[in-house]
Amino acid sequence: MTFIHQIRLDQADDTHRYPFTLPVVQHLIKHPLHLNTPVTFLTGDNGAGKSTLVEAIAVAAGFNAEGGTQSFNFATKATESSLGDYLTLRWGTRKPRTGFFLRAESFYNVATEIDRIGGGIHASYGGKSLHERSHGESFIDLMNHRFGSRGLYILDEPEAALSVKGCLTVLRRMHELVNESSQFIIATHSPILLAAPNATILEITDTIDEVSYDTAEPVRLTRNFLGDPNRFLKHLLD
Ligand SMILES: Nc1ncnc2c1ncn2[C@@H]1O[C@H](COP(=O)(O)OP(=O)(O)OP(=O)(O)O)[C@@H](O)[C@H]1O
Ligand SMILES: [Mg+2]
């Protein structure tokens, strides 16, 4: 069971500017997304529109555009695309008890906001300022201490902070949280994270298509590369 069942985009008024000009956004107008599994991945090349889309989903779900919980409302810059105002989310009857929106790009600002709020809030984030932990450590602390059961978690490239081992730690924690009725929507390039069980992988090109783990581009390319790095490099560099 998911909290968000469907994501729909009704025709926007002004379609002649970013983000409405992106092919993926045009596609979404005609094809609503159905979220049937507790984990939904958005993958696809740089610039495909993953961050634009996850940010819009997060905003439509009531999160701050720069990240954090639903009660964060700081803003350091106005880059949010307003696509969120046009999205309609179809919710199930069960509501999330908690949640978090994480953008790798602005995690630093979330950490600053947590420090600013102060007053015991650090206890929910592993006991000390996230600025006093490494990028990866603070993300893993966040997942272990702040994320809980029945949560809605929207993450943009969590692997940006993580070693391969860190990705495996995150996979295990995600699995626990899914077993405790949480939902994840994750933009990622990580062939490791994509292996999460009970997941749907949506590949964004000009369209949004469901793909299997083995046919997802990050998995195919990484596998090809690791199968014979020298041959791959020779091909690439010649
Ligand atoms: N504020 C903005 N104004 C205009 N164009 C933008 C803005 N933000 C992003 N874009 C453009 O929209 C496209 C999609 O960007 P987006 O950040 O959603 O890609 P992405 O799939 O998340 O890529 P990556 O894998 O590199 O994170 C890009 O071509 C980008 O140049
Ligand atoms: Mg992105």
Side-chain angles (χ1 to χ4, degrees):
M1 278 285 280
T2 53
F3 302 116
I4 301 176
H5 289 332
Q6 193 203 52
I7 299 164
R8 212 178 65 229
L9 173 60
D10 297 317
Q11 182 74 47
D13 320 329
D14 176 9
T15 52
H16 301 293
R17 61 179 179 86
Y18 168 84
F20 303 102
T21 45
L22 293 179
V24 61
V25 173
Q26 287 299 317
H27 177 84
L28 196 58
I29 293 175
K30 299 192 196 88
H31 310 274
L33 285 184
H34 297 275
L35 311 185
N36 304 316
T37 50
V39 181
T40 304
F41 288 113
L42 300 173
T43 190
D45 218 344
N46 295 128
K50 301 176 298 298
S51 295
T52 304
L53 195 53
V54 288
E55 178 190 298
I57 297 169
V59 167
F63 292 99
N64 180 39
E66 287 192 46
T69 69
Q70 273 144 327
S71 57
F72 282 40
N73 59 10
F74 71 96
T76 54
K77 54 183 165 47
T79 56
E80 57 270 35
S81 64
S82 86
L83 179 60
D85 299 337
Y86 294 90
L87 288 187
T88 308
L89 306 184
R90 179 130 61 84
W91 295 81
T93 45
R94 247 166 22 103
K95 291 284 173 299
R97 195 182 54 77
T98 180
F100 210 92
F101 169 41
L102 175 110
R103 305 174 51 144
E105 295 162 32
S106 55
F107 191 44
Y108 182 91
N109 299 335
V110 170
T112 303
E113 177 66 6
I114 291 166
D115 283 355
R116 193 192 63 75
I117 296 170
I121 191 178
H122 286 128
S124 339
Y125 295 88
K128 56 171 156 174
S129 167
L130 295 182
H131 283 307
E132 292 166 25
R133 314 279 282 143
S134 80
H135 191 193
E137 285 171 334
S138 51
F139 179 67
I140 290 170
D141 273 353
L142 182 75
M143 275 196 96
N144 283 335
H145 301 286
R146 177 59 188 74
F147 288 16
S149 61
R150 261 184 67 197
L152 171 62
Y153 302 107
I154 302 178
L155 313 175
D156 191 1
E157 290 194 39
E159 72 271 18
L162 301 169
S163 66
V164 173
K165 243 168 139 177
C167 283
L168 295 171
T169 304
V170 164
L171 264 189
R172 195 172 53 207
R173 179 66 179 140
M174 273 174 66
H175 189 62
E176 260 171 27
L177 291 164
V178 162
N179 286 337
E180 296 167 1
S181 309
S182 293
Q183 179 177 9
F184 286 85
I185 299 171
I186 305 178
T188 188
H189 298 292
S190 166
I192 294 175
L193 293 185
L194 284 173
N198 301 310
T200 301
I201 303 175
L202 301 175
E203 197 150 78
I204 302 185
T205 48
D206 285 353
T207 58
I208 306 176
D209 301 288
E210 186 173 337
V211 295
S212 67
Y213 179 74
D214 290 306
T215 57
E217 189 172 80
V219 177
R220 275 191 300 116
L221 275 182
T222 307
R223 205 172 250 159
N224 252 331
F225 184 87
L226 293 178
D228 191 345
N230 284 331
R231 187 179 52 95
F232 198 101
L233 277 181
K234 198 164 175 312
H235 227 76
L236 182 72
L237 306 180
D238 278 355

